[in-house]
Amino acid sequence: MRLLLAPMEGLLDAVLRDVLTRAGDYDWAVCEFARVSDTVLPHRYFRRVCPELLNGGRTAAGTAVRVQLLGSDPACLADNAAHLVELQPAGIDLNFGCPAPTVNRHRGGAVLLDEPELLFAIASAVRSVVPPGVPFTAKMRLGVSDAAKALDCARALADGGVEEIVVHARTKLQGYRPPAHWPWIARIAEAVPIPVIANGEVWSETDWLRCRAESGVADVMLGRGAVADPFMVRRIRMHRAASPALFPAADRTAEWRELCPLLASFWRQVQDKVLPAHAPGRFKQWLNLLQRNFPHAETLFQEIRPMRRPPEINAVLMRHGIVAEPTALAA
């Protein structure tokens, strides 16, 4: 059984990966995509997308982070993968799952799932430059508008040399609307000779159990559910070790106390990374998801929601016992 941390463009960046991998033990993670078009990206670009490359490809907590490539040109993707290999990444992943209209209009992400032959060409080209020992994976959805080509796409990736496939069990058009169609993952796992990992709509331990049962696979990648509940992965591992009949109820008060230092660290790092005008939005984005599970997060979110300046938020956090020293960029 493995638990993986998903790539989430615009949300799960290196700062959030840092705090989430300190809160829970993930087997590996994937960074946001590096968009490949018609040129070989410089090393500094890869290091910006995946700063963990400066730390042996791992977060501070030691979680390996694979670098994800997005594009549609097999030769250019292969050239970029060869260049990326020089940085000794913890692995290389291909993105066939992003449903964003802007990305899809430029022939990237899930829109390519209408073209299994192109998926094979991309996987084969990248496989030819990724040396043995460097994990080579891909993430896909069930299709563009329906799942008619899901099995063909999975076979194309496996035949092209991909070692494992993460399947987000929705189509591009379904976006993130519930439900995720986990039984389709079982069909894909039966169709390919490589490991398949389930992804999509896992918000709780109960969802995790149902996902594994309906998909028939042991490994699950967590996305928004992990952001909304940073300690879920830890509770799952505790359940796995003890095998109780039911998961015990989470102690949200105790977990909130443990989460407060991580919130403070996240807020400090965000202020160091982005302009002061953008930092509040990033903090509110995480709190908005946390309030699904933590009443304290809901209270805090409502209080800082109208605020636009970091010093205002610093004062509120201090009142809530969250020590977040102002940074040079927050003034």
Side-chain angles (χ1 to χ4, degrees):
M1 179 202 83
R2 294 179 298 172
L3 292 164
L4 316 175
L5 186 60
M8 297 186 68
E9 186 68 18
L11 174 63
L12 224 168
D13 63 355
V15 176
L16 194 49
R17 282 195 299 274
D18 171 62
V19 296
L20 292 182
T21 56
R22 282 191 272 154
D25 179 18
Y26 292 91
D27 290 278
W28 43 271
V30 180
C31 74
E32 316 97 294
F33 61 75
R35 188 192 299 265
V36 174
S37 52
D38 57 357
T39 187
V40 175
L41 299 167
H43 283 167
R44 67 178 179 276
Y45 176 88
F46 290 118
R47 293 190 183 105
R48 185 168 67 249
V49 173
C50 183
E52 292 91 348
L53 288 167
L54 298 169
N55 188 46
R58 295 180 178 272
T59 67
T63 301
V65 181
R66 301 181 183 183
V67 180
Q68 188 177 79
L69 303 178
L70 177 145
S72 59
D73 184 325
C76 194
L77 282 162
D79 289 343
N80 275 273
H83 196 52
L84 173 59
V85 164
E86 297 173 6
L87 297 176
Q88 299 181 311
I92 293 178
D93 187 73
L94 298 175
N95 182 318
F96 302 109
C98 181
T102 301
V103 170
N104 296 163
R105 279 198 300 271
H106 292 86
R107 287 182 54 74
V111 74
L112 300 183
L113 295 170
D114 268 344
E115 305 175 61
E117 66 284 354
L118 179 57
L119 268 60
F120 172 77
I122 290 171
S124 299
V126 176
R127 173 76 278 176
S128 69
V129 301
V130 176
V134 176
F136 178 42
T137 55
K139 190 168 189 280
M140 60 174 277
R141 284 178 173 253
L142 297 180
V144 178
S145 58
D146 57 49
K149 296 183 180 179
L151 302 185
D152 290 338
C153 287
R155 292 189 187 107
L157 292 171
D159 292 345
V162 167
E163 298 165 359
E164 295 183 286
I165 303 173
V166 178
V167 179
H168 183 130
R170 285 179 276 227
T171 65
K172 168 187 131 49
L173 291 186
Q174 288 166 341
Y176 297 96
R177 295 189 304 274
H181 304 282
W182 298 323
W184 259 103
I185 299 175
R187 296 185 61 181
I188 291 170
E190 290 175 0
V192 296
I194 60 175
V196 172
I197 298 158
N199 175 236
E201 211 61 23
V202 177
W203 295 92
S204 67
E205 297 94 320
T206 301
D207 291 338
W208 172 76
L209 285 172
R210 287 183 49 241
C211 176
R212 296 180 83 215
E214 294 183 23
S215 70
V217 302
D219 303 327
V220 178
M221 176 174 274
L222 305 174
R224 291 175 300 159
V227 178
D229 191 346
F231 303 110
M232 176 171 60
V233 64
R234 185 175 67 188
R235 294 195 306 273
I236 289 174
R237 292 196 185 280
M238 290 172 63
H239 164 84
R240 181 69 174 81
S243 296
L246 295 171
F247 281 100
D251 185 344
R252 295 302 188 187
T253 299
E255 287 184 346
W256 178 256
R257 287 195 296 268
E258 191 174 351
L259 184 58
C260 283
L262 296 177
L263 280 167
S265 176
F266 175 79
W267 178 231
R268 284 194 297 268
Q269 291 185 66
V270 164
Q271 291 177 88
D272 286 337
K273 180 179 179 180
V274 305
L275 294 173
H278 299 153
R282 289 296 316 282
F283 192 56
K284 294 173 198 176
Q285 186 183 35
W286 189 21
L287 280 178
N288 186 40
L289 279 165
L290 288 173
Q291 66 179 339
R292 291 176 61 109
N293 295 296
F294 297 94
H296 295 84
E298 182 178 7
T299 300
L300 184 57
F301 178 75
Q302 294 302 326
E303 191 168 347
I304 71 169
R305 189 173 187 175
M307 296 178 178
R308 298 289 181 266
R309 298 178 59 249
E312 296 176 289
I313 294 175
N314 285 330
V316 173
L317 293 179
M318 291 292 286
R319 289 201 302 272
H320 283 261
I322 300 173
V323 180
E325 296 289 340
T327 68
L329 292 178

